[in-house]
Amino acid sequence: MSVKINEMYNSYKADYAEQLKAEHGMPKEIQKDQNKVKVADKTFEPHDEYISGRQSETKPSGLYRVGEDENGNQKVFFDDPQKSDNSGKPAEKCTANTDKVEREIRKLKEKEQELKQQIQSNCGNEKKVKELEKKLKQVESELSQKDNDTYRRQHTQFY
């Protein structure tokens, strides 16, 4: 079955080529000569080729470049990106410090515990309990905002 498909494709291909030739109104003899030229052109199609840095007038884009060794012979050199990025300077080191944020969070947790204890100890005084519960809710909301990685990252100090 695949042979029939190929035969059909080849016949369609030939018919289409003949149709195009007929549309251009060329005699069949010239068309045959042009087919020969086209076949010859296909063997000499342009392809990728090396263009040296001197000819292209641009800096090489890769890690390798052609240069001359101590004897004047051409040689391929490897440009290490780590050496070129640092330009001879030592790497800069930074220290991240989250102590201030951690202290803030620890104080809020201590205040939360203190307020809970005060609420338990003042069970008889409802006015005082409501006031303490209001403060507790404020502390809990502040703690929920600050006790997360995003807040820590935003408030980290770098030295």
Side-chain angles (χ1 to χ4, degrees):
M1 186 160 201
S2 64
V3 174
K4 289 181 181 179
I5 292 172
N6 287 338
E7 288 175 5
M8 289 172 47
Y9 174 74
N10 287 336
S11 66
Y12 172 76
K13 185 177 170 184
D15 292 341
Y16 183 69
E18 293 295 324
Q19 187 180 10
L20 283 176
K21 291 175 188 175
E23 285 177 8
H24 292 292
M26 293 183 218
K28 288 190 177 186
E29 296 152 359
I30 296 173
Q31 292 172 359
K32 288 180 183 177
D33 290 339
Q34 284 185 342
N35 284 343
K36 289 179 185 175
V37 172
K38 286 181 183 177
V39 171
D41 286 344
K42 286 184 181 178
T43 58
F44 297 104
E45 287 182 0
H47 56 278
D48 292 339
E49 62 183 50
Y50 172 77
I51 299 174
S52 72
R54 292 182 200 113
Q55 293 173 348
S56 68
E57 299 177 4
T58 60
K59 187 176 180 180
S61 61
L63 298 174
Y64 297 93
R65 62 180 169 81
V66 177
E68 293 182 357
D69 63 2
E70 55 275 349
N71 297 330
N73 299 327
Q74 283 192 342
K75 183 178 178 182
V76 176
F77 291 96
F78 174 69
D79 293 329
D80 190 1
Q82 293 176 348
K83 288 182 181 177
S84 63
D85 288 345
N86 293 337
S87 340
K89 297 178 183 176
E92 194 175 316
K93 293 186 180 181
C94 293
T95 305
N97 188 352
T98 59
D99 291 344
K100 187 177 179 182
V101 177
E102 295 299 331
R103 259 186 266 123
E104 239 182 290
I105 293 170
R106 188 173 49 244
K107 284 182 182 178
L108 285 171
K109 286 182 179 180
E110 288 172 0
K111 190 170 184 178
E112 180 185 33
Q113 288 298 322
E114 185 182 315
L115 287 170
K116 285 181 180 179
Q117 288 176 355
Q118 287 180 1
I119 290 172
Q120 286 178 355
S121 64
N122 291 319
C123 290
N125 191 352
E126 292 209 16
K127 187 177 179 184
K128 182 83 171 175
V129 170
K130 285 184 180 180
E131 188 179 311
L132 291 171
E133 285 177 347
K134 186 177 178 183
K135 286 183 181 180
L136 181 63
K137 285 182 183 179
Q138 289 175 346
V139 170
E140 286 175 343
S141 69
E142 190 176 350
L143 189 60
S144 68
Q145 289 176 353
K146 294 183 178 182
D147 193 13
N148 59 50
D149 289 337
T150 306
Y151 184 82
R152 283 184 178 89
R153 268 188 247 122
Q154 289 174 347
H155 293 84
T156 300
Q157 295 177 340
F158 294 96
Y159 302 105

